[in-house]
Amino acid sequence: MWANADWRGSLYPPHGGQQEWLGEYARVFSAVEGNTTFYSGAPKAETVAGWARQAPAEFRFCFKLPASLTHEARLVGIEAELDAFLERLSPLHDRLGPLMVQLPRDFGAQELPQLDQLLSRWPKGISCAVEVRHSEFFHKGSAEVALNRLLISHGVDRVMLDVRPLFSTPAGSDPRLLKAQGEKPKRPLHVLSTGDRPLVRFIGHVDEDVNTIYFAAWVERLCLWIKQGKSPFLFVHTADNRRAPQLARRLHDEVARRLGQASIGVFSGEAQATLF
């Protein structure tokens, strides 16, 4: 996301207009997770044109497929709608990161043929990442094996949703934690790169010390992926997202220090010298 009024005075100027926020965001970060398409579908053509004007060439948009395709239609008979969605994003095609296919919590192994059909006709020039939430994909049994084999065969990455920090303590009476813990699925974290652009969604705690504990292993993994020539994308969230940019910067700086690089991109993975 980049439209967050809570970032006025920190990431954004205190009195700047919202129409300037994407440009300001892109000065610091080089990718964004686009959730609006999940809820609202394809953006208006003039909106996409505006994004294309504001985003620099190295910036990457990682949009989610609309819920109308993934949750309502469950990937069945969506060819025309998918083509129309991708066509609407065509002004950004050189700046598209992995597009995310977030599947419903009850989308299980019996529906993998629908996913296979989708990935079989997925445009070769656009990266894709799939996020599953059904519990049977997290037990290392036959369902998960089938899923991972399918993704590997198509060169598609599996989204890694890390909710461990969020659920590391009881919510108590904190409304931010109560809301976030009620919305996010409590699933185990399986760290696995099935493609060349591993994508991690880190759902942090409101306590920064808690996040630091879970950052340590990610620093090691991100450095390993980058040394292997992969292009990882990592997006940092918190229960209210007010401190998410600062958390992302902390993680970025530690990875940069480990890699011995003075400058790597934040939030976008572009091969050898950039991160996330």
Side-chain angles (χ1 to χ4, degrees):
M1 60 187 302
W2 67 82
N4 190 335
D6 290 333
W7 296 344
R8 290 181 187 269
S10 56
L11 184 61
Y12 303 141
H15 305 296
Q18 184 172 343
Q19 66 275 12
E20 308 296 328
W21 287 355
L22 175 57
E24 295 289 342
Y25 180 99
R27 292 180 185 178
V28 179
F29 302 121
S30 57
V32 67
E33 177 184 323
N35 284 322
T36 55
T37 52
F38 180 77
Y39 298 103
S40 305
K44 296 179 180 178
E46 54 268 30
T47 300
V48 177
W51 295 342
R53 287 193 299 270
Q54 295 178 64
E58 69 276 6
F59 193 79
R60 296 293 178 264
F61 292 90
C62 300
F63 295 111
K64 288 183 181 179
L65 255 58
S68 59
L69 308 184
T70 57
H71 286 55
E72 297 174 21
R74 305 180 75 89
L75 306 185
V76 177
I78 65 168
E79 291 80 9
E81 292 176 81
L82 175 64
D83 291 346
F85 176 74
L86 296 177
E87 177 60 29
R88 180 60 56 85
L89 298 178
S90 59
L92 300 171
H93 274 182
D94 60 337
R95 279 162 285 183
L96 289 179
L99 298 186
M100 287 177 275
V101 181
Q102 181 179 303
L103 297 170
R105 297 191 190 197
D106 61 347
F107 188 104
Q110 75 281 0
E111 294 182 275
L112 285 179
Q114 287 98 278
L115 178 61
D116 186 20
Q117 184 176 6
L118 170 70
L119 299 180
S120 295
R121 70 181 305 273
W122 192 269
K124 297 300 182 184
I126 301 176
S127 299
C128 178
V130 173
E131 180 176 336
V132 294
R133 296 191 168 187
H134 197 296
S135 60
E136 68 179 356
F137 292 129
F138 295 87
H139 296 313
K140 298 184 179 180
S142 59
E144 184 168 16
V145 170
L147 168 68
N148 291 338
R149 284 178 176 171
L150 172 62
L151 298 179
I152 291 170
S153 70
H154 289 287
V156 168
D157 278 286
R158 176 174 175 175
V159 175
M160 289 160 272
L161 181 67
D162 187 358
V163 296
R164 296 173 302 164
L166 175 64
F167 287 100
S168 62
T169 68
S173 59
D174 190 313
R176 300 167 298 175
L177 288 176
L178 284 169
K179 183 175 186 294
Q181 290 184 2
E183 293 176 346
K184 300 300 181 185
K186 191 175 182 180
R187 296 286 184 261
L189 173 66
H190 290 184
V191 180
L192 175 68
S193 176
T194 56
D196 294 328
R197 294 173 175 82
L199 194 152
V200 181
R201 302 179 65 224
F202 182 93
I203 313 298
H205 199 278
V206 294
D207 185 335
E208 294 189 19
D209 291 336
V210 172
N211 295 321
T212 299
I213 296 171
Y214 292 96
F215 272 171
W218 280 122
V219 169
E220 298 294 336
R221 179 62 58 168
L222 291 166
C223 289
L224 174 63
W225 281 332
I226 291 172
K227 290 175 181 178
Q228 290 175 340
K230 294 179 182 287
S231 299
F233 285 72
L234 188 144
F235 297 105
V236 174
H237 303 257
T238 63
D240 60 8
N241 277 323
R242 289 186 177 181
R243 297 283 298 170
Q246 290 82 356
L247 288 173
R249 175 58 65 184
R250 283 173 52 197
L251 183 58
H252 159 272
D253 289 348
E254 179 59 21
V255 173
R257 186 187 69 80
R258 294 288 187 91
L259 293 174
Q261 296 172 352
S263 177
I264 58 177
V266 183
F267 265 12
S268 166
E270 291 301 314
Q272 313 95 329
T274 63
L275 169 66
F276 309 1

